[in-house]
Amino acid sequence: MKHLKFLIFGIAVIWSCSEKTNSETRLLLEKVFEIGRVEGDSIYFSTTSLVDWLDVAEIDSCSEEEFAVLEDIYHRRIGNEINLSDIFHKKDFEKICYEGRHNYEFDSDLIPKNFIPKDQQYFDSLYFIYKNELSIANSDPSGLRILKMRELYYRLSKPIFLHDYRYAVIGYSYQSFLKDYGGCSIFVFEKKENEWKLIFTSQICPFT
């Protein structure tokens, strides 16, 4: 009977943590797209998480020094001057690297309602079909088809929550279906007055 009580208690704790994470993820995604959405473009969203954003930023050992490079090169200060080393420590950077490379599928109920969720395979298949059409002799895709391939889709890393949900770190990217235009950034948020506030952003893979 005692073991059963411990089991029930453990399940309740896990469920409570999961609900908290889902709730904060939902609020965080709304804020991410409020800030990062490219105005006037499509609202497609890849439910498959972005996992190579840290590699693109050349963050391998998860050291404070590697993250400091983001501050020196592409950073954009938000409000008061802030360094990542002022709020994060070695274990925090390690957690960012570990969880930021995790494969993660976003549930549809976490995605803002005005977005169209698709798994990454959908976008990749569009790209390969289009490329195959171009490789066929005398192929001339219609203007409508080309316009479709110029649309954008968005992709995020698994959200990383730190210091008991006081801070959140997330990798963000947008890219055309044709994969010839886009960019990606790291966003750092702080929970203030029950709302996620952007306190740091750094462009980590600018390309056009």
Side-chain angles (χ1 to χ4, degrees):
M1 189 67 179
K2 181 185 290 187
H3 293 299
L4 180 59
K5 288 181 179 179
F6 277 120
L7 178 60
I8 294 173
F9 176 75
I11 292 173
V13 170
I14 292 172
W15 181 84
S16 177
C17 290
S18 177
E19 282 296 296
K20 173 68 172 176
T21 299
N22 286 343
S23 174
E24 294 298 346
T25 297
R26 194 176 294 110
L27 293 172
L28 180 66
L29 262 58
E30 289 178 358
K31 186 59 65 173
V32 166
F33 286 118
E34 179 184 313
I35 295 168
R37 182 179 172 188
V38 179
E39 192 65 33
D41 282 303
S42 70
I43 52 175
Y44 289 93
F45 177 79
S46 173
T47 57
T48 309
S49 67
L50 185 69
V51 295
D52 61 350
W53 58 292
L54 292 167
D55 297 324
V56 171
E58 299 183 349
I59 294 176
D60 301 313
S61 64
C62 305
S63 66
E64 179 182 320
E65 289 74 22
E66 285 181 328
F67 279 92
V69 173
L70 301 180
E71 301 169 351
D72 294 336
I73 301 176
Y74 295 122
H75 78 275
R76 178 163 62 88
R77 303 291 186 187
I78 308 297
N80 296 329
E81 293 290 312
I82 184 173
N83 296 311
L84 296 181
S85 58
D86 293 337
I87 55 177
F88 298 144
H89 306 292
K90 186 175 185 293
K91 287 186 177 180
D92 299 320
F93 291 124
E94 290 175 350
K95 182 178 181 180
I96 293 169
C97 281
Y98 179 72
E99 293 192 14
R101 290 187 169 96
H102 270 196
N103 290 313
Y104 177 82
E105 288 292 324
F106 288 90
D107 291 334
S108 57
D109 66 333
L110 299 178
I111 301 168
K113 292 181 179 179
N114 58 332
F115 280 78
I116 303 171
K118 300 283 186 181
D119 65 40
Q120 187 59 33
Q121 188 175 357
Y122 168 82
F123 300 109
D124 292 339
S125 64
L126 280 180
Y127 174 72
F128 287 121
I129 290 171
Y130 183 81
K131 283 295 186 180
N132 186 55
E133 287 178 356
L134 290 180
S135 68
I136 298 173
N138 300 319
S139 173
D140 184 18
S142 69
L144 184 62
R145 177 77 166 142
I146 294 174
L147 184 63
K148 176 70 175 178
M149 294 301 293
R150 292 292 180 185
E151 289 193 46
L152 299 179
Y153 69 91
Y154 299 87
R155 196 174 180 186
L156 303 175
S157 73
K158 178 182 183 294
I160 303 116
F161 296 104
L162 300 148
H163 297 200
D164 194 26
Y165 295 94
R166 179 179 178 183
Y167 298 103
V169 178
I170 193 165
Y172 160 90
S173 77
Y174 63 93
Q175 190 173 45
S176 71
F177 289 3
L178 193 55
K179 300 183 185 293
D180 65 341
Y181 172 78
C184 62
S185 303
I186 177 175
F187 288 160
V188 180
F189 291 86
E190 183 178 5
K191 198 71 176 290
K192 296 180 178 179
E193 300 177 351
N194 207 35
E195 184 178 351
W196 287 110
K197 303 283 189 180
L198 184 67
I199 59 172
F200 178 90
T201 180
S202 176
Q203 190 174 15
I204 54 178
C205 60
F207 61 93
T208 57

